[in-house]
Amino acid sequence: MESELTYDRWDHHLQAQINNNPGDFMEVIKWAFDTYRERIIYSCSFGAEGIVLIDLIYKVNPYATVVFLDTDLHFKETYSLIDEVKLSYPKLNIKILKSSLTLDQQAVKYESKLWEHKPNLCCHLRKIEPLEKELKNADAWFSGLRREQSISRQNTEYVNKDERFKRVKICPLIHWKWDDVWEYIKLNNLHYNELHDKNYPSIGCEMCTLPVTGDDQNTRSGRWADFEKKECGLHQA
């Protein structure tokens, strides 16, 4: 695969060449580290796809940087999983990123329980801004997006020009199905968030995530269930 591609030196022909001749998902990961080296990070939510991608990345670069956007509003099960991952992958550089505002400061500056009234603003303060700051030191970032997840993600490529963060976004798992994710987790005996066993296919902040019930096939339908919002803003359609 070819190598030189950054947001500021974008080449559509090269992007197409990489996306059309990627080999497999492992080749995408290898290419990304060969190209960006320490200038690439993985922003991980520690969902099922996240655990798979951590395991794959570790096989290529055990010293990779993984960042978690800690809103201070996550489930206790998510924090417990992060502790387990740190033990299972001791060489990983796992960084916990937080908003510049505590929840109390946010309530004073804006309003109490901002996520209930203005979830977009809450996500911006507690997710977007911390990742923006971290990406100032990177040229590219990994994401666990899969095309199957939602309509807004169905055109995601292996290599994407990310207009939101002005970086290159690498998505190795775009062709994976939900069953593929779980087959890999079970086959490799990976730790995962126990909420997945309680009908939470997609897990975000505790206040904004509900279990998915019935025959709903949309794995993200439990996110911001009382709003039209289905993305936190990290991933533009």
Side-chain angles (χ1 to χ4, degrees):
M1 296 173 68
E2 298 293 336
S3 56
E4 293 297 328
L5 188 68
T6 66
Y7 182 88
D8 293 329
R9 298 190 301 275
W10 194 259
D11 183 330
H12 290 284
H13 176 74
L14 181 54
Q15 178 199 20
Q17 185 177 348
I18 296 169
N19 283 330
N20 292 334
N21 300 282
D24 63 9
F25 51 88
M26 288 303 291
E27 289 301 313
V28 173
I29 296 172
K30 291 175 183 176
W31 168 83
F33 280 116
D34 285 344
T35 301
Y36 303 109
R37 300 187 182 277
E38 74 281 355
R39 299 282 298 176
I40 185 168
I41 66 173
Y42 173 30
S43 178
C44 182
S45 64
F46 288 84
E49 293 90 349
I51 293 302
V52 168
L53 194 46
I54 281 178
D55 192 71
L56 297 175
I57 285 174
Y58 200 75
K59 296 178 190 301
V60 177
N61 180 9
Y63 299 97
T65 296
V66 176
V67 302
F68 175 64
L69 305 175
D70 185 2
T71 62
D72 295 310
L73 295 166
H74 289 282
F75 290 92
K76 68 180 188 304
E77 290 86 351
T78 302
Y79 294 112
S80 295
L81 175 61
I82 294 172
D83 290 337
E84 291 177 335
V85 169
K86 288 179 178 179
L87 294 175
S88 298
Y89 305 92
K91 297 177 182 178
L92 276 182
N93 178 24
I94 298 179
K95 301 176 69 174
I96 307 299
L97 307 183
K98 288 178 175 281
S99 170
S100 61
L101 298 175
T102 66
L103 289 175
D104 288 341
Q105 290 170 336
Q106 178 174 289
V108 171
K109 185 172 182 178
Y110 297 98
E111 58 183 293
S112 180
K113 298 183 179 180
L114 188 62
W115 53 88
E116 292 184 357
H117 310 286
K118 298 177 181 177
N120 286 335
L121 178 57
C122 190
C123 286
H124 184 84
L125 295 170
R126 312 204 74 76
K127 288 186 174 183
I128 304 297
E129 289 185 356
L131 185 57
E132 276 182 336
K133 182 178 180 180
E134 185 68 21
L135 283 173
K136 289 180 179 179
N137 300 313
D139 293 322
W141 62 297
F142 285 111
S143 171
L145 295 185
R146 296 183 299 109
R147 290 180 175 178
E148 181 191 56
Q149 286 173 319
S150 66
I151 293 176
S152 66
R153 299 181 177 188
Q154 63 185 4
N155 294 319
T156 305
E157 300 282 1
Y158 281 124
V159 179
N160 306 268
K161 189 178 186 182
D162 183 359
E163 298 293 352
R164 177 64 191 80
F165 293 102
K166 304 295 187 291
R167 295 293 183 270
V168 180
K169 182 163 66 176
I170 314 293
C171 303
L173 303 183
I174 55 173
H175 297 303
W176 285 50
K177 305 297 184 183
W178 187 236
D179 288 344
D180 297 330
V181 171
W182 281 100
E183 182 178 1
Y184 187 92
I185 288 173
K186 298 297 185 181
L187 199 61
N188 292 277
N189 196 30
L190 302 184
H191 293 292
Y192 63 87
N193 195 319
E194 64 187 60
L195 290 174
H196 287 307
D197 294 330
K198 301 176 182 178
N199 299 317
Y200 287 83
S202 179
I203 303 168
C205 295
E206 184 172 4
M207 288 70 172
C208 300
T209 308
L210 296 175
V212 175
T213 57
D215 298 325
D216 196 336
Q217 298 298 308
N218 182 354
T219 60
R220 294 185 60 79
S221 62
R223 305 291 294 277
W224 304 285
D226 295 328
F227 297 89
E228 292 184 6
K229 173 182 174 68
K230 290 302 174 189
E231 296 282 357
C232 63
L234 296 178
H235 308 291
Q236 291 184 336

